[in-house]
């Protein structure tokens, strides 16, 4: 077996080092507040990782636990506190549209997760900067961004091509089309030039910028294709199905593919996938946390620049 297993720890190491150096050399202390209003084990684990990585890089992290019924008021308090530079909420809280409402209660200038409507809209529309002068990059939701960084690290992005087109020619299957990860990820990858098969429980859509990348932003078309049609074509397979029973059928994976799992469950059979994949990334959580902190430093700079102006 010649499969290379790449761990999130290794992928995130250079980002953590970069953050540590920026924070130390500039002698800054950005503060992130995380709100935990549920006892979901995945959220608790995510909060623990956030605390650990922040301690390592020099970010001040405060976990505020509260009941979900007072969460909105607590977010507003943090929005108004000039000593808080970034805010995040461990979802799901209500598990329905109320969570979407809460994502927009977080002030856009402090939204380290990039879940505010403005950032989500800009991402879908391939608007990469917040200002006309193109000095302030938009915040990108941290799990999809983390997955982009994983793909850059393992060499799926082609650095010879211009920025914005570096996935031209790549075919990627993303198994998950949630609003938090799968759909934004499919859009980001298609905006960067890939042809993406976005798979959910009901079917498959294709996200792309057309032949020769003639479109400025991706478009979506419905397909009647099945997983058995798209997996053998895919250079990269990314999966995030939240079920311990779900396994991507290894026999359909193309020889030499890149396989990435972001579900908390192992969506690939570890032994089988190593017989087919060139590169296997079993989890990405640590990269997500590094992106969260990277977004925080960016927002810290935007806030302090606008205070100084
Ligand atoms: P979700 O329940 O909102 O979405 C699940 C998606 O998977 C849906 O699009 C659904 O249609 C699809 N799906 C379910 N069963 C399927 C099947 N049999 N075939 C094809 N598609 C199927 O969940 P979510 O919030 O997107 O989270 C998914 C997983 O990713 C969870 O395990 C979560 O903990 C994990 N997650 C990880 C990170 C990270 O940084 N590592 C971040 C967010 C979520």
């Amino acid at each position: 077996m010649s499969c290379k297993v790449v761990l999130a720890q290794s992928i995130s190491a250079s980002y953590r080092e970069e953050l540590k150096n920026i924070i130390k050399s500039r002698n800054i202390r950005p503060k992130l507040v995380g709100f935990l209003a549920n006892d979901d084990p995945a959220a608790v684990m995510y909060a623990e990782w956030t605390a650990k990585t922040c301690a390592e890089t020099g970010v001040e992290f405060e976990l505020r636990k509260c009941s979900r019924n007072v969460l909105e008021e607590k977010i507003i308090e943090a929005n108004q506190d000039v000593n808080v530079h970034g805010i995040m909420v461990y979802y799901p809280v209500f598990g329905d549209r109320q969570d979407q409402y809460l994502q927009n209660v977080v002030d856009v200038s402090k939204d380290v997760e990039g879940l505010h409507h403005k950032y989500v809209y800009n991402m879908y529309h391939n608007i990469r900067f917040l200002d006309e002068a193109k000095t302030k990059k938009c915040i990108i939701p941290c799990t999809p961004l983390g997955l982009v960084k994983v793909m850059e690290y393992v060499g799926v992005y082609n650095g010879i091509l211009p920025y914005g087109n570096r996935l031209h020619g790549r075919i990627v299957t993303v198994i998950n089309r949630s609003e938090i990860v799968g759909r934004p990820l499919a859009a980001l990858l298609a905006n960067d030039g890939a042809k993406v098969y976005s798979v959910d429980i009901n079917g498959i859509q294709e996200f792309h910028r057309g032949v020769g990348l003639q479109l400025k932003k991706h478009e979506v078309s419905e397909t009647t294709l099945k997983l058995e049609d798209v997996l053998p074509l895919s250079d990269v397979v990314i999966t995030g199905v939240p079920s311990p029973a779900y396994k991507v059928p290894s026999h359909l994976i193309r020889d030499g593919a890149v396989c990435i799992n972001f579900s908390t469950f192992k969506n690939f059979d570890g032994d089988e996938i190593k017989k087919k994949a060139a590169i296997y990334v079993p989890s990405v959580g640590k990269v997500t946390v590094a992106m969260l902190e990277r977004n925080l430093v960016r927002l810290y700079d935007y806030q302090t620049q606008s205070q100084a102006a």
Side-chain angles (χ1 to χ4, degrees), residues 13 15 56 69 78 92-93 95 130 154 159 194 203 217 232 246 258 278-279 301:
Y15 292 103
E56 197 187 315
N69 297 320
V93 175
L130 288 166
V154 301
K217 72 167 191 69
Y246 183 82
V258 171
I279 294 170
D301 284 341

Side-chain angles (χ1 to χ4, degrees), residues 42 143 175-178 180-182 199-202 240-242 246 262-265 284-285 288:
T143 306
I175 311 173
N176 174 309
R177 202 184 306 127
S178 70
I180 297 287
V181 194
V199 183
D200 82 348
I201 193 96
N202 300 314
V241 174
Y246 183 82
F262 69 83
S263 170
T264 34
F265 301 100
V284 304
T288 304

Side-chain angles (χ1 to χ4, degrees), residues 45-308:
M45 189 169 80
Y46 189 16
E48 282 166 6
W49 277 348
T50 324
K52 200 165 161 250
T53 322
C54 287
E56 197 187 315
T57 49
V59 163
E60 187 180 344
F61 175 67
E62 188 184 328
L63 184 64
R64 297 184 182 170
K65 294 184 185 174
C66 64
S67 124
R68 62 185 190 171
N69 297 320
V70 298
L71 179 57
E72 181 176 358
E73 294 315 313
K74 297 285 175 195
I75 294 173
I76 294 169
E77 263 172 40
N79 280 344
Q80 290 164 349
D81 183 346
V82 288
N83 296 313
V84 174
H85 306 101
I87 298 171
M88 65 173 301
V89 177
Y90 294 97
Y91 292 102
V93 175
F94 291 93
D96 57 21
R97 276 182 57 92
Q98 200 168 341
D99 284 3
Q100 214 176 325
Y101 168 71
L102 289 170
Q103 283 160 9
N104 287 289
V105 172
V106 173
D107 194 285
V108 68
S109 68
K110 298 192 178 184
D111 176 18
V112 287
E113 292 183 283
L115 298 177
H116 194 281
H117 180 73
K118 183 181 178 79
Y119 295 133
V120 176
Y121 179 92
N122 285 355
M123 182 198 59
Y124 281 124
H125 290 260
N126 206 7
I127 299 168
R128 298 187 180 221
F129 291 89
L130 288 166
D131 56 341
E132 292 268 319
K134 298 191 172 176
T135 60
K136 291 182 177 174
K137 279 191 173 173
C138 289
I139 299 296
I140 295 177
C142 40
T143 306
L145 177 62
L147 284 156
V148 165
K149 297 298 174 190
V150 169
M151 288 170 68
E152 283 178 359
Y153 184 91
V154 301
V156 178
Y157 274 72
N158 185 343
I160 265 189
L161 297 175
Y163 171 74
N165 290 349
R166 289 183 175 159
L167 290 180
H168 191 186
R170 304 283 194 224
I171 300 181
V172 183
T173 291
V174 177
I175 311 173
N176 174 309
R177 202 184 306 127
S178 70
E179 278 304 308
I180 297 287
V181 194
R183 194 167 82 91
L185 176 64
L188 278 175
L189 301 181
N191 284 341
D192 274 342
K195 181 200 273 190
V196 182
Y197 292 115
S198 166
V199 183
D200 82 348
I201 193 96
N202 300 314
I204 302 186
Q205 294 178 338
E206 189 184 309
F207 288 51
H208 58 85
R209 275 175 50 206
V211 173
L213 306 185
Q214 72 233 14
L215 305 171
K216 277 211 163 54
K217 72 167 191 69
H218 74 282
E219 66 174 20
V220 181
S221 48
E222 298 296 335
T223 77
T224 53
L225 296 170
K226 304 252 176 298
L227 201 57
E228 51 268 39
D229 302 316
V230 298
L231 284 181
L233 302 173
S234 299
D235 304 298
V236 183
V237 178
I238 304 176
T239 173
V241 174
S243 155
Y246 183 82
K247 296 287 174 228
V248 179
S250 302
H251 67 282
L252 294 174
I253 300 280
R254 216 202 65 191
D255 182 29
V258 171
C259 295
I260 304 168
N261 175 55
F262 69 83
S263 170
T264 34
F265 301 100
K266 300 236 166 293
N267 285 179
F268 291 109
D269 175 322
D271 292 334
E272 288 302 312
I273 204 64
K274 285 181 211 160
K275 293 179 190 160
K276 288 298 257 319
I279 294 170
Y280 170 43
V281 183
S283 68
V284 304
K286 291 197 170 83
V287 187
T288 304
V289 176
M291 291 307 116
L292 195 74
E293 290 186 57
R294 202 163 168 263
N295 284 349
L296 173 73
V297 171
R298 192 160 279 172
L299 290 174
Y300 174 91
D301 284 341
Y302 296 169
Q303 287 162 35
T304 47
Q305 278 160 17
S306 66
Q307 276 159 16

